[in-house]
Every structure is written in structure tokens, then in C-alpha cells.
């Protein structure tokens, strides 16, 4: 039989009139080593080669998420590979050949972790339809993750062997094989064998549906569940099941606590899938491990449940790539519950059981599982919440409903935007963290993942939603439920701790008292949560505060020390006020910049009418003004062409604020050019004698500025941020260099027009006066939203807001007296 190399493959492609660009593309990705190695030397015993006769494009061979092991030093964890071992394979085209049932195949095999692709092979070979064997030869580039190699590619050659059946069923649903190096051991390009395994994604024959039905039918779980529109069954099953992590509430004979599905659904509601297990909720085990399952089943529309029959996967003794499907005696059913409770918050729950006899090997008792996280907004029906713990909370928190509403007002408890908030945490050990307290339901309204009501909540008869309204005292107490997630910064894991909470909110005092449950190896519901909400229109320094504590004995293994909780959450009414304030501040900034332009322009006109006054103008003063307008203009130049982004998502105004901010930047640029023009005119007309006087005045001012800057930096110990604010203070006293120059020159006359020095002084004083008003009118929750009188460029406090205007006024009076 003829020897097939890459050159003969290209020749056959030309014979079959394959487009030239495809030939060039394949040639580009193939190295010279591939052309020297024959297919017969490595694959003739697996699938004999045959002459291609016709071309058929398609993706008959496709693996989107396979798993691998081995490879030796290629995938060392200390070399940058993060251990998430997965691969992809897809065929670029198929050739029919002269041998019936044999196809010539070209495809790409890539290995990657969650960050980047490390190894890619381009290979060609043959696949036998009758045996399901695929054998390919090729080469590829490996991008080395070690820092010393700086991503240098390493070119490798290998042979790929896969068992890839044309049509799979539950017993033949595994694709397994290996990638072996061509290079001899000891060669720099040699690598250890990589073992591959994946779940079949091509045609599938359902053979276990009757057995799945027989396994599920006798089992009745008395829980109300939600159904789907029959036309959307696969869409909802895939969106809710695929890739989600589920917590197991028992053992299937191994220690794994979490599982996940990799499913493929047909339009008629039947599906086949693989199930992986892990002790970490963020990933699940290789599909080819001994503790994994494969299964098939259907959505039972009459019971609104998914019914599955699953089989264990067994690993062969002689080969790492030899896997088989074991006994199919595991039943599984899952559904979407129609109601949530304190101890059942998942939007998918289910049961797993063994169909074996109690005394048989591998038997396990029925265990339950539930999904992690929440995706309530995608649920296709109305979800209810049933309160089950508010009676015990009332006794634990001592709430009687007799408290009167004081002078200070708190959120009325009707808005999830007010009641949900981000949290900061600190425990007794000094660990700090952050998280989110998200509202699930308030009273009889269920919200789920969003702020929009989804369905009414329900209460048990003994714990009905308590809304006590006294005609004189107006007392309101509401049932609430929360989902609290948090993470300590010092903990290396990316997993968040979850607490389900349920309790009562007293709108008269702003107290939130709840009982919580966390899900560890067992459910721990001995948790008490007390949170004091911040009053509406609170004073500066007031914030949400509280504790999460365990009510267990300190010797109990589930006991934990109290965790302090705090939040600077902004209420919705305050967010509306902040948006209005931002509009006002933008208008004030526009007015200030417009007046600045007018004042500077008036000084330019004054200089033209009185040329003799130009030498008497302080160059240092003009430089201060130029820098004051130049730095914001330079920093914000890019923002003229890029949409600005604010930190808080509550402050949205449909682009109105952003458009006005752009106008502010434009006006700031105009003010810069005008002030620069004034500096240019004054600089061009200075004489040598005047230059000496300017330098003398500067030598007086400069030590004062430097000494003040050093003093501020040493006292505050906050680095450059304080120096930037100090620079704003210096500009507030922009008239100081002019006063010093007047003393040095003993000058008289109208060097500066009153409209210029009084106008700029008033413009510099207005932000401080406004800040005094703002500090009493608004609570500074989001200082980054300050547009006018922003703390980034000046000192703003009760003391400095009085000192700076008084300083500017004194300097203006001195200039006025001196010029008269």
C-alpha cells in the first residue's frame, strides 16, 4: 500500500479540486517533520489507509469538552498550567475513500486550561465507520507557560488514536484514546503519552427509556413542581441543568459532595448526559473517572419531573484509556420546586437512588441533591415563598410589635432596592471580607433574583405575615427572607459561603432580625442575624451595622465567633436625590467655567487697552491659573471620545449627565487656552528688569509653597493624594504671587481689572460654600459622584470651607487697596 505523507495528502486534495486556500491553510499549520513521517508506520494496523475519492465538509467529529491526563512535564502545575485539564477536537472535513466505510479525516486537537490554549495539533488520518477507530498523524505547537521561556512555542509531532463510534448508546457513549509522541525518549520534543476521554456528542440511540420509566414510576415525591412549555423543554432543561453545580446531601458510595451534568437534549424532551463529581463546587471530576456516571432519560410532563437511568463508568486495568460502562442501576429524578423555604432555597432539587437490593454490592440509600446558586428570573412559572421560622425569630429577638415609631424614619420595608445591600465583614480574628445580602421576599411578595415581584409568598398558619397597624402609633412589622453570601479575603478559595435567612423587619426601629441556615456537611440552622438599618437622611458616619452569630455552644464543632457586618448602602430615595444633585453640580460647574472664561477674557482686553500694566502682572499667578485649567483638561481629554463610567450603577440618567460632563470638559479646555493666552502676552512683554522682580517675587512664594506642602505631607502621611488637594489650596490663593510682586515693585495702578481678581476669587470660593451646604443636605455615600467641589482637587471640610474663602477675600482686599 502506498505511503501517505502530507505531500501526498495535498496531491490528492488537488486531484479532488479542493479550494487552493484550504490547501495553503493546511500547509501553513504543518511542519516539515510531519511530511517525513508516514501514516503506515503508526496507524495501518488500526485503520488501513485508502485513496480518497470525494470530499464532504462537515463536523461529524466534534468534542467540545473532553478531559485528559498524563503528558508529563507539558502540563505541570508549577509551570503555569492551572490543572483544569480539558481538550477540544473538531474535524475540518471528511473524504470518502475507495474502501467502503473508511473516511480520510483532517482536524484540530487543542489542549487548554481556563485561561488559555497551550497545545494545538493539526492532524490527518483515517476513521473506520464499522469499528469506530480513528487514527491520525500530525504536529503542533506547544506554548510553554514557564516565565523563562516567555511563551516560546515548542513544535511536537504525535499520533492520535481514538475510539469514536458513529452512533453511540448508553453503553458506548465514551470516547477514549491517546496522543503519543513520535519523537524518541530523551528528545527535547518528546512528551509522555496523553490519555484522552470524553462524552460522545455525535448520533445517539436511546435504549434505556423504558427502564428509566420503570425506575421512576414507583417513586412519588410529594412536592409541587413547575412545568415547561413542551416546545421549550430542551431550552429550559439545558439552561437550568448544564454546567450547574449540585450539592449532595448524602453518599453514593464515595466521598464527593458535589456533582454536575454535561447534557445533550433532543427536541422531544429526551436527553443523554454525563455526570461528574467533586469535593469542590467550582469543578467536577474527569468523566472517565470511576466515580462518574452516564445516563439517559426524559422529561415527564405529567409529573413535571426529569426521569433518568444512570450507569457507572469503570476504568480498565491494562490501559489508562480503556474505560467501560458498568451496571445501569442508578435512578435519578429532579424537578423545579414551586415553593422556597428556609431550608430549601434551590431552584432545582432531586433524588438519587439505587435499584439494587439492599444487600447487593454498590447499594446506597436514597439521597437528595439541590442546585447551588439561584437563577430565579429564568424559572418558567410563579415561585412562592413559605415562611416557616418567623415564630421562633419573634421569640429570639423579643419583638412584640409594641414599639412606637420615633422621630427618625427608616425604610418602610416595601422596596427590595432599599432592603438589599452589599456588606463588609470582620470577625474576632481580624479577618475581613465582603458579600451581599439579597432580598428574596418581603411580606407576601417574592422577588427572587431581581427587584420585580414574581409571585405571592405564603406563610404557615401559625406564622402569618404580621402587619400590625395601630391608628395612633403606625407600627409595621414585616416578614422577610434573604440570601446572604460572603467571602473572607484571606481565604484562598474563590467559593462564597452561603446563608439562607428568614425573619422579621421592624420599620419603626429599622431592626432586621433573622434566623439563618448554612449548608456544610449538614445543615446548620442555629444562626442568629441582627442588623440595624441606617435611618433615612442619616448623619455623616451613620451606616448599616449588625452581627451574624452562632447560637450553639462554643464546644460545638459548628460554632463560630460573631461576625460584624456593616454597609454604606444608599437607599433609592437618596439615589434619586444624588442624581438631582449631580445635575445641579454640573450646572454650577458650567456656570463657574463660563464666568472664568469671561473674567480671563476681561483681563486680556484690559491688557490691550493698558499695555503698561502687562509687566506688572505676576507670571507665577498666571502659571497657577494655567495649571489649574490644564491638568483637568489633559486628564479628561480622552473622556471627550470615550463614554464615561461611574462606579455606582444606581446613578443612571440615560446619558444626560454624561453629555453635560462632556460640555464641562470642553469649557475647561476653553478656559485653559484663554489663561494660556494671557500668560503668553505677559511673558512676551517682560523686560530684563521686570524679569528680576518676577524672580524675586517667585523666590518669596516658592519656599512658602514648598514648606506648606512638606508640612501637609508629613502631618497627613497619605502621599500624593494630599499633595494634589494642597495644590488646590494653593490655587485658591492665586493672588499671593501678585501681592508679593506689587510689594517688590511698589507698583500702583490698575494692573488687574476688578472683574478679573474679584471674579476669580468668588469662583474659587463658591465650591467651598457649596460644600458646607452639601454636607448638611446630603449624606456623602458616593463621594466619587461629586462633580462640583470634588475632594480630589482641594480640601473640603468645615474648617477649610471657611478658611479658603476668607483667605481669598483678604487677598482680594489687599489687591484692591494697593491698586487704589
Amino acid at each position: 500500500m502506498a505511503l501517505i505523507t502530507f505531500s501526498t495528502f495535498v496531491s490528492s486534495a488537488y486531484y479532488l479540486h479542493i479550494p487552493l486556500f484550504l490547501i495553503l491553510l493546511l500547509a501553513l499549520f504543518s511542519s516539515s517533520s510531519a511530511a517525513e513521517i508516514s501514516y503506515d508506520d503508526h496507524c495501518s494496523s488500526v485503520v488501513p489507509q485508502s485513496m480518497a475519492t470525494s470530499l464532504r465538509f462537515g463536523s461529524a467529529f466534534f468534542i467540545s469538552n473532553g478531559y485528559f491526563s498524563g503528558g508529563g512535564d507539558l502540563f505541570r502545575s508549577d509551570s503555569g498550567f492551572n490543572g483544569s485539564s480539558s481538550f477540544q477536537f473538531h474535524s475540518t472535513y471528511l473524504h470518502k475513500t475507495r474502501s467502503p466505510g473508511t473516511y480520510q479525516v483532517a482536524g484540530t486537537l487543542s489542549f487548554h486550561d481556563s485561561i488559555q490554549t497551550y497545545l494545538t495539533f493539526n492532524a490527518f488520518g483515517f476513521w473506520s465507520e464499522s469499528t469506530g477507530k480513528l487514527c491520525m498523524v500530525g504536529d503542533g505547537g506547544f506554548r510553554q507557560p514557564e516565565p523563562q521561556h516567555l511563551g516560546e512555542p515548542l513544535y511536537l509531532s504525535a499520533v492520535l488514536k481514538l475510539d469514536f463510534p458513529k452512533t453511540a448508546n448508553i453503553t458506548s457513549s465514551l470516547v477514549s484514546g491517546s496522543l503519543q509522541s513520535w519523537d524518541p525518549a530523551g528528545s527535547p520534543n518528546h512528551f509522555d503519552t496523553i490519555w484522552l476521554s470524553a462524552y460522545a456528542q455525535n448520533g445517539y440511540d436511546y435504549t434505556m427509556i423504558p427502564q428509566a420509566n420503570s425506575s421512576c414510576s414507583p417513586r412519588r415525591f410529594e412536592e409541587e413542581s413547575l412545568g415547561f412549555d413542551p416546545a421549550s423543554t430542551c431550552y429550559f432543561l439545558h439552561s437550568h441543568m448544564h454546567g450547574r453545580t449540585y450539592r449532595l446531601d448524602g453518599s453514593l458510595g464515595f466521598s464527593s459532595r458535589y456533582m454536575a451534568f454535561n447534557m445533550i437534549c433532543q427536541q422531544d424532551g429526551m436527553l443523554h448526559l454525563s455526570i461528574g463529581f467533586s469535593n469542590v463546587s467550582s469543578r467536577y471530576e474527569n468523566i472517565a473517572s470511576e466515580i462518574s456516571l452516564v445516563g439517559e432519560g426524559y422529561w415527564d410532563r405529567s409529573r413535571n419531573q426529569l426521569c433518568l437511568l444512570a450507569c457507572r463508568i469503570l476504568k480498565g486495568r491494562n490501559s489508562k484509556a480503556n474505560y467501560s460502562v458498568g451496571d445501569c442501576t442508578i435512578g435519578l429524578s429532579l424537578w423545579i420546586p414551586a415553593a422556597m423555604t428556609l431550608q430549601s432555597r434551590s431552584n432545582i432539587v432531586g433524588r438519587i437512588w439505587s435499584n439494587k437490593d439492599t444487600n447487593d454490592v454498590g447499594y446506597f440509600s436514597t439521597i437528595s441533591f439541590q442546585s447551588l446558586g439561584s437563577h430565579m428570573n429564568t424559572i418558567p412559572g410563579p415561585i412562592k415563598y413559605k415562611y416557616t421560622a418567623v415564630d421562633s425569630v419573634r421569640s429570639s429577638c423579643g419583638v412584640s410589635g409594641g414599639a412606637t415609631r420615633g422621630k427618625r424614619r427608616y425604610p418602610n420595608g416595601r422596596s427590595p432596592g432599599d432592603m438589599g445591600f452589599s456588606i463588609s465583614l470582620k470577625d474576632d480574628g481580624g479577618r475581613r471580607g465582603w458579600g451581599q445580602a439579597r432580598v428574596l421576599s418581603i411580606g407576601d411578595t417574592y422577588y427572587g433574583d431581581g427587584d420585580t415581584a414574581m409571585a405571592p409568598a405564603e406563610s404557615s398558619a401559625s406564622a402569618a405575615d404580621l402587619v400590625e397597624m395601630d391608628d395612633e402609633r403606625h407600627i409595621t412589622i414585616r416578614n422577610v427572607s434573604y440570601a446572604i453570601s460572603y467571602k473572607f479575603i484571606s481565604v484562598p478559595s474563590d467559593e462564597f459561603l452561603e446563608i439562607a435567612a428568614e425573619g422579621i423587619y421592624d420599620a419603626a426601629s429599622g431592626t432586621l432580625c433573622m434566623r439563618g441556615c448554612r449548608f456544610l456537611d449538614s445543615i446548620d440552622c442555629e444562626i442568629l442575624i441582627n442588623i440595624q438599618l441606617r435611618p433615612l437622611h442619616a448623619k455623616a458616619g451613620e451606616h448599616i451595622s449588625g452581627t451574624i452569630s452562632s447560637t450553639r455552644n462554643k464546644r460545638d464543632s459548628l460554632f463560630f465567633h460573631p461576625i460584624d457586618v456593616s454597609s454604606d448602602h444608599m437607599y433609592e430615595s437618596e439615589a434619586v436625590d444624588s442624581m438631582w444633585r449631580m445635575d445641579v453640580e454640573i450646572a454650577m460647574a458650567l456656570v463657574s467655567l463660563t464666568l472664568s472664561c469671561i473674567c480671563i477674557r476681561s483681563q486680556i482686553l484690559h491688557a490691550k487697552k493698558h499695555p503698561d500694566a502687562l509687566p506688572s502682572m505676576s507670571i507665577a499667578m498666571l502659571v497657577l491659573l494655567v495649571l489649574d485649567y490644564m491638568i483637568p483638561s489633559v486628564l479628561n481629554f480622552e473622556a471627550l471620545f470615550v463614554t464615561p463610567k461611574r462606579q455606582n450603577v444606581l446613578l443612571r440618567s440615560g446619558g444626560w449627565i454624561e453629555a453635560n460632563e462632556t460640555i464641562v470638559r470642553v469649557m475647561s479646555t476653553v478656559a485653559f487656552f484663554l489663561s494660556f493666552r494671557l500668560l503668553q502676552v505677559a511673558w512676551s512683554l517682560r523686560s530684563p528688569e521686570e524679569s528680576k522682580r518676577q524672580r524675586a517675587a517667585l523666590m518669596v512664594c516658592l519656599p512658602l509653597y514648598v514648606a506648606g506642602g512638606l508640612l501637609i505631607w508629613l502631618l497627613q502621611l497619605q502621599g500624593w493624594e494630599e499633595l494634589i488637594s494642597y495644590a488646590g489650596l494653593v490655587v485658591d490663593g492665586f493672588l499671593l504671587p501678585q501681592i508679593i510682586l506689587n510689594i517688590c515693585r511698589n507698583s500702583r495702578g490698575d494692573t488687574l481689572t476688578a472683574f478679573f481678581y474679584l471674579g476669580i476669587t468668588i469662583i474659587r470660593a463658591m465650591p467651598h460654600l457649596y460644600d458646607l451646604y452639601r454636607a448638611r443636605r446630603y449624606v456623602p455615600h458616593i463621594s466619587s459622584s461629586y462633580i462640583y467641589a470634588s475632594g480630589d482637587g482641594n480640601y473640603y471640610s468645615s474648617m477649610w470651607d471657611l478658611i479658603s474663602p476668607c483667605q481669598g477675600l483678604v487677598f482680594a482686599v489687599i489687591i484692591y487697596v494697593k491698586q487704589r
Side-chain angles (χ1 to χ4, degrees), residues 14-25:
Y14 176 77
Y15 171 77
L16 293 168
H17 306 290
I18 298 177
L20 180 60
F21 78 90
L22 182 58
I23 300 174
L24 294 176
L25 183 64

Side-chain angles (χ1 to χ4, degrees), residues 144-202:
Q144 302 180 83
E146 293 93 336
Q148 62 268 27
H149 292 289
L150 298 178
E152 296 176 0
L154 181 66
Y155 295 101
L156 309 174
S157 301
V159 56
L160 171 66
K161 297 179 181 180
L162 286 177
D163 290 326
F164 208 123
K166 177 182 179 181
T167 302
N169 55 43
I170 196 169
T171 59
S172 62
S173 56
L174 298 182
V175 175
S176 59
S178 64
L179 184 71
Q180 299 175 343
S181 176
W182 276 339
D183 298 293
S187 170
N189 292 347
H190 176 81
F191 59 90
D192 293 346
T193 299
I194 301 175
W195 304 101
L196 310 174
S197 59
Y199 187 67
Q201 294 178 256
N202 50 341

Side-chain angles (χ1 to χ4, degrees), residues 581-599 629 640 655-671 674 763 766-767 770 787-789:
R581 173 186 54 77
M582 291 173 67
D583 286 335
V584 171
E585 290 183 4
I586 289 175
M588 295 179 69
L590 283 172
V591 171
S592 296
L593 287 170
T594 302
L595 291 177
S596 297
C597 293
I598 295 174
C599 292
Y629 296 117
L640 290 173
W656 173 250
I657 290 179
E658 291 80 359
N660 284 334
E661 282 182 326
T662 302
I663 298 175
V664 169
R665 296 185 185 103
V666 171
M667 292 301 300
S668 179
T669 304
V670 172
L674 287 174
I763 291 171
M766 283 304 298
Y770 170 74
I787 297 174
Y788 186 70

Side-chain angles (χ1 to χ4, degrees), residues 464-682:
D465 180 48
L466 179 62
V467 181
E468 302 178 1
M469 298 296 298
D470 187 289
D471 292 337
E472 297 180 357
R473 293 176 293 178
H474 300 286
I475 304 172
T476 302
I477 298 178
R478 299 182 183 277
N479 290 345
V480 293
S481 64
Y482 276 75
I484 301 174
S485 59
Y486 63 93
K487 178 186 181 299
F488 286 106
I489 299 174
S490 59
V491 177
S493 173
D494 292 333
E495 296 182 42
F496 280 77
L497 300 174
E498 302 279 347
I499 295 180
E502 176 185 309
I504 53 178
Y505 169 66
D506 185 354
S509 59
T511 56
L512 183 63
C513 186
M514 298 182 290
R515 176 185 174 189
C517 293
R518 58 177 181 165
F519 303 90
L520 306 172
D521 293 331
S522 59
I523 299 179
D524 175 19
C525 289
E526 300 298 322
I527 299 174
L528 187 63
I529 302 169
N530 280 291
I531 296 177
Q532 175 64 55
L533 269 62
R534 177 180 55 81
L536 297 172
H537 308 297
K539 300 177 181 178
E542 290 186 313
H543 56 266
I544 298 173
S545 61
T547 58
I548 301 175
S549 58
S550 174
T551 58
R552 294 179 179 271
N553 188 285
K554 291 185 177 181
R555 297 180 179 179
D556 196 304
S557 60
L558 296 178
F559 172 83
F560 61 90
H561 293 284
I563 301 173
D564 293 329
V565 177
S566 62
S567 176
D568 291 325
H569 176 65
M570 174 181 286
Y571 298 134
E572 290 182 346
S573 59
E574 294 171 341
V576 173
D577 288 344
S578 292
M579 292 178 64
W580 181 87
R581 173 186 54 77
M582 291 173 67
D583 286 335
V584 171
E585 290 183 4
I586 289 175
M588 295 179 69
L590 283 172
V591 171
S592 296
L593 287 170
T594 302
L595 291 177
S596 297
C597 293
I598 295 174
C599 292
I600 297 172
R601 180 60 179 168
S602 69
Q603 182 63 28
I604 294 175
L605 295 176
H606 176 76
K608 289 182 178 180
K609 293 181 179 180
H610 305 85
D612 56 325
L614 284 173
S616 302
M617 292 176 60
S618 171
I619 299 296
M621 175 192 69
L622 298 179
V623 168
L624 286 179
L625 292 178
V626 168
L627 292 177
D628 182 46
Y629 296 117
M630 181 191 73
I631 294 176
S633 298
V634 171
L635 294 179
N636 292 322
F637 181 75
E638 182 182 358
L640 290 173
F641 309 100
V642 179
T643 301
K645 296 180 181 178
R646 296 218 161 262
Q647 293 181 356
N648 195 288
V649 297
L650 289 176
L651 304 178
R652 296 173 181 167
S653 59
W656 173 250
I657 290 179
E658 291 80 359
N660 284 334
E661 282 182 326
T662 302
I663 298 175
V664 169
R665 296 185 185 103
V666 171
M667 292 301 300
S668 179
T669 304
V670 172
F672 159 69
F673 282 116
L674 287 174
S675 59
F676 184 79
R677 173 58 180 168
L678 182 59
L679 173 62
Q680 183 187 30
V681 172

Side-chain angles (χ1 to χ4, degrees), residues 134-419:
L134 173 67
C135 192
M136 306 179 73
V137 295
D139 58 8
F142 174 69
R143 187 169 297 279
Q144 302 180 83
E146 293 93 336
Q148 62 268 27
H149 292 289
L150 298 178
E152 296 176 0
L154 181 66
Y155 295 101
L156 309 174
S157 301
V159 56
L160 171 66
K161 297 179 181 180
L162 286 177
D163 290 326
F164 208 123
K166 177 182 179 181
T167 302
N169 55 43
I170 196 169
T171 59
S172 62
S173 56
L174 298 182
V175 175
S176 59
S178 64
L179 184 71
Q180 299 175 343
S181 176
W182 276 339
D183 298 293
S187 170
N189 292 347
H190 176 81
F191 59 90
D192 293 346
T193 299
I194 301 175
W195 304 101
L196 310 174
S197 59
Y199 187 67
Q201 294 178 256
N202 50 341
Y204 188 88
D205 287 336
Y206 292 91
T207 59
M208 291 289 183
I209 298 300
Q211 293 88 331
N213 183 52
S214 299
S215 176
C216 292
S217 296
R219 299 181 180 270
R220 299 287 177 177
F221 304 107
E222 300 300 328
E223 294 186 35
E224 185 180 359
S225 59
L226 298 177
F228 305 119
D229 180 357
S232 305
T233 299
C234 276
Y235 167 78
F236 285 112
L237 288 177
H238 191 274
S239 62
H240 285 84
M241 290 179 57
H242 186 77
R244 296 282 301 280
T245 303
Y246 299 81
R247 181 180 60 248
L248 298 170
D249 295 332
S251 173
L252 278 72
F254 41 83
S255 60
S256 297
R257 296 170 50 200
Y258 303 99
M259 72 175 183
F261 300 114
N262 180 19
M263 61 165 290
I264 299 173
C265 183
Q266 309 295 330
Q267 290 302 318
D268 54 3
M270 293 193 297
L271 56 88
H272 60 100
L273 49 76
S274 63
I275 306 175
F277 296 86
S278 175
N279 278 320
V280 181
S281 63
S282 60
R283 63 181 295 270
Y284 52 94
E285 296 293 334
N286 188 320
I287 180 60
S289 65
E290 292 185 33
I291 60 174
S292 295
L293 308 175
V294 293
E296 66 179 56
Y298 67 100
W299 179 258
D300 188 342
R301 295 190 182 95
S302 62
R303 300 169 61 183
N304 289 330
Q305 292 182 0
L306 181 66
C307 182
L308 290 171
L309 188 69
C311 316
R312 294 182 183 271
I313 296 177
L314 306 177
K315 184 170 67 175
R317 297 180 180 178
N318 300 325
S319 172
K320 293 184 178 180
N322 183 17
Y323 302 98
S324 61
V325 176
D327 62 86
C328 300
T329 57
I330 298 176
L332 184 149
S333 180
L334 61 81
W335 57 92
I336 298 176
M340 301 286 163
T341 64
L342 177 62
Q343 298 188 22
S344 180
R345 293 288 182 87
S346 302
N347 60 344
I348 294 182
V349 297
R351 305 286 188 273
I352 303 178
W353 63 89
S354 174
N355 291 320
K356 292 185 175 182
D357 293 333
T358 306
N359 297 326
D360 290 346
V361 177
Y363 172 83
F364 57 88
S365 301
T366 301
I367 64 173
S368 61
F369 64 87
Q370 52 189 315
S371 60
L372 298 181
S374 177
H375 299 273
M376 299 301 180
N377 285 349
T378 60
I379 295 297
I383 303 293
K384 302 176 182 179
Y385 189 90
K386 294 183 179 180
Y387 296 97
T388 58
V390 290
D391 281 344
S392 62
V393 170
R394 285 173 60 84
S395 60
S396 300
C397 299
V399 176
S400 62
T404 59
R405 190 184 293 272
K407 295 182 179 179
R408 310 203 70 179
R409 309 289 292 181
Y410 295 90
N412 58 21
R414 297 175 183 174
S415 169
D418 286 342
M419 301 298 291

Side-chain angles (χ1 to χ4, degrees), residues 120-133:
T120 299
F121 277 93
N122 294 283
F124 63 94
F126 292 89
W127 172 67
S128 173
E129 188 175 33
S130 59
T131 64
K133 300 289 186 180

